[in-house]
Amino acid sequence: MKIKVIVFPGSNCDHDTERAFRNLLDQDVEMLWHKEENLGNADLVVLPGGFAYGDYLRTGAMARYSPVMEAVERFAREGGMVFGICNGFQILCEAGLLPGALMKNACLQFRSMQVHLRVETTRSPLTKHLAQGQILKMPIAHGDGNYYADHITLTELVDEDCILFRYATPDGLIIPEANPNGSIFNIAGICNKERNVFGMMPHPERACESEVGSADGLTLLRSLMESLELSTQPRLAKVASL
Amino acid sequence: MPVKKVDSLLADYAFYHRKRGNKVCHFIGIPLIMYSLFVLLRPVVLIEPFTAAELLVILSIAYYMSLNLKLAIGMLLTTSLLDFAAGKTADFRIGIAAMTIGWIFQGIGHAVYEKRSPAFLRNLIHLLIGPLFLLNEVWRVRRITPASAA
């Protein structure tokens, strides 16, 4: 799989993301500077975590106008898979590729900790090979992870089964105590209606080896890779038959 | 305003019980299961005249009181009524039949209408939240939307 990791000025999880996909999942990864205007041949575009443009104005507000974002938006509208992690999620929301917004944490503090997520749907490439209700442990590190959507958007997210992950207790209870940032409905990750753009605040790329506290992130990324391989098989077969 | 635990739990339960058909099935299934539990626990006498059925009532009401007093009072009345009814018809065959029919309704609700697996598969606390959710649907003590669980 050809994976493009977009690097904005201020990205700081780009190399973690690269390492996870290249070293642990054996994928073809290319880092793409934000000034690029063309994505080239890509199966998946990843917007990594960090503090693009120093989070000036508002998280993701400037990054969404980076030259590369036009190509990312075009890629997404054509059905290409786009995955935003933390700051990447914020940028995707700012760009309008995902609904809702990420606000300052309700506690008004930067939160760096391990959290538990409950998988709410398996109807997405990211969660297709996981189990509904499965609990994943991975870290968060953000000051603006308080996901908000108005009532209509939230109802649509629920009705369209677009909520991928919610903050939960280790035994799967969705309660305020499990919510680290005040996100509405304990939402930690969502996808769009077309199910090709997804974003999440926790960092799966930082939870890929048990030595760092959890390898659940690798399970998640592996699920994404398996879904990608399945979705590109018909295309590869078509190319091979030409 | 801080979110109340009861709202979070009810909203999460509601998330898995959105279809009208599923709710109707639960309105039939859950009382049947509760009734059957009381019937089946009645023969287990702890201290005369109290049985394991009354212990179940006390423990569940204590949990409900930790969530919401008004709903807990409602649950006390409901469970006491079902326990009383179970005492009048204490036959384990009726209990097993009620339990089986109750779970069939639950299964139909999730498989046919909701098309999502039951919430209790994620956490057994949902087994206790089910009756509370139904009571709240009737009594509307708490206004439950996804936003109320923020």
Side-chain angles (χ1 to χ4, degrees):
Chain A
M1 294 292 120
K2 289 190 189 310
I3 297 167
K4 311 282 175 164
V5 177
I6 311 293
V7 184
F8 297 95
S11 293
N12 65 7
C13 299
D14 42 344
H15 289 290
D16 289 332
T17 308
E18 178 195 20
R19 184 176 179 280
F21 281 109
R22 178 175 287 152
N23 297 9
L24 304 174
L25 291 163
D26 202 23
Q27 302 298 322
D28 178 3
V29 182
E30 189 187 336
M31 311 298 272
L32 219 57
W33 184 235
H34 72 119
K35 287 197 171 171
E36 293 287 337
E37 291 181 359
N38 203 327
L39 292 175
N41 192 8
D43 294 305
L44 169 71
V45 173
V46 183
L47 276 64
F51 303 89
Y53 294 89
D55 280 350
Y56 283 109
L57 294 182
R58 191 173 62 240
T59 52
M62 290 175 76
R64 80 58 98 250
Y65 288 107
S66 278
V68 76
M69 284 307 291
E70 264 187 45
V72 172
E73 284 173 40
R74 205 165 44 242
F75 180 73
R77 309 259 182 240
E78 287 168 1
M81 288 203 200
V82 180
F83 181 24
I85 303 168
C86 192
N87 190 215
F89 182 20
Q90 294 162 338
I91 297 167
L92 290 177
C93 287
E94 283 290 336
L97 290 174
L98 286 173
L102 279 311
M103 306 191 303
K104 207 155 269 309
N105 291 348
C107 59
L108 302 180
Q109 292 171 331
F110 187 91
R111 281 285 162 96
S112 177
M113 61 196 282
Q114 294 279 347
V115 295
H116 292 89
L117 310 176
R118 197 175 78 183
V119 177
E120 295 297 325
T121 180
T122 53
R123 286 183 54 220
S124 86
L126 194 58
T127 54
K128 191 175 182 178
H129 297 275
L130 303 175
Q132 195 188 324
Q134 188 174 341
I135 303 296
L136 304 171
K137 182 184 170 190
M138 55 188 75
I140 55 163
H142 58 245
D144 299 72
N146 182 357
Y147 181 76
Y148 179 78
D150 60 36
H151 184 72
I152 294 169
T153 309
L154 194 58
T155 308
E156 275 176 7
L157 284 173
V158 170
D159 290 344
E160 301 279 345
D161 206 13
C162 290
I163 299 172
L164 302 180
F165 309 105
R166 290 166 74 201
Y167 298 110
T169 59
D171 52 358
L173 270 189
I174 305 287
I175 53 174
E177 290 81 351
N179 189 341
N181 50 32
S183 286
I184 199 161
F185 207 37
N186 282 42
I187 288 173
I190 57 166
C191 67
N192 63 347
K193 282 182 200 169
E194 293 74 26
R195 317 192 95 73
N196 66 316
V197 180
F198 12 87
M200 62 190 294
M201 283 315 291
H203 288 268
E205 82 286 5
R206 290 194 205 167
C208 287
E209 286 149 306
S210 51
E211 287 81 358
V212 294
S214 171
D216 288 351
L218 191 63
T219 311
L220 187 73
L221 299 181
R222 194 169 279 140
S223 168
L224 176 59
M225 285 302 105
E226 285 172 15
S227 304
L228 262 175
E229 276 161 21
L230 284 174
S231 70
T232 53
Q233 266 170 9
R235 203 170 71 203
L236 292 174
K238 199 175 168 186
V239 171
S241 69
L242 289 174
Chain B
M1 201 165 68
V3 178
K4 289 188 184 297
K5 190 175 178 179
V6 65
D7 292 347
S8 247
L9 289 168
L10 288 173
D12 188 32
Y13 194 90
F15 185 47
Y16 288 88
H17 301 82
R18 284 181 280 139
K19 302 286 187 291
R20 190 181 162 82
N22 191 25
K23 283 185 188 175
V24 170
C25 285
H26 279 63
F27 267 105
I28 301 167
I30 286 180
L32 277 174
I33 293 167
M34 286 169 73
Y35 165 78
S36 70
L37 273 176
F38 292 133
V39 170
L40 297 173
L41 289 173
R42 281 219 146 244
V44 187
V45 179
L46 300 173
I47 305 163
E48 198 70 52
F50 295 105
T51 68
E54 281 79 49
L55 181 67
L56 178 66
V57 172
I58 291 167
L59 292 177
S60 55
I61 297 304
Y63 178 69
Y64 294 138
M65 281 176 76
S66 74
L67 296 178
N68 183 282
L69 187 62
K70 206 169 169 183
L71 283 173
I73 292 167
M75 283 307 299
L76 178 64
L77 294 172
T78 314
T79 50
S80 300
L81 199 70
L82 285 169
D83 187 30
F84 177 74
K88 291 286 177 196
T89 56
D91 184 331
F92 82 96
R93 285 168 299 188
I94 294 176
I96 288 173
M99 176 75 84
T100 311
I101 295 167
W103 281 113
I104 288 172
F105 270 100
Q106 301 284 87
I108 291 171
H110 281 282
V112 178
Y113 297 103
E114 197 73 39
K115 294 186 171 62
R116 297 191 89 176
S117 54
F120 75 85
L121 292 182
R122 275 155 283 284
N123 194 295
L124 291 176
I125 288 288
H126 281 126
L127 284 176
L128 285 172
I129 300 302
L132 203 67
F133 172 76
L134 295 187
L135 182 66
N136 191 59
E137 283 287 296
V138 177
W139 202 2
R140 298 282 176 191
V141 174
R142 309 296 307 175
R143 188 175 166 271
I144 298 305
T145 65
S148 68

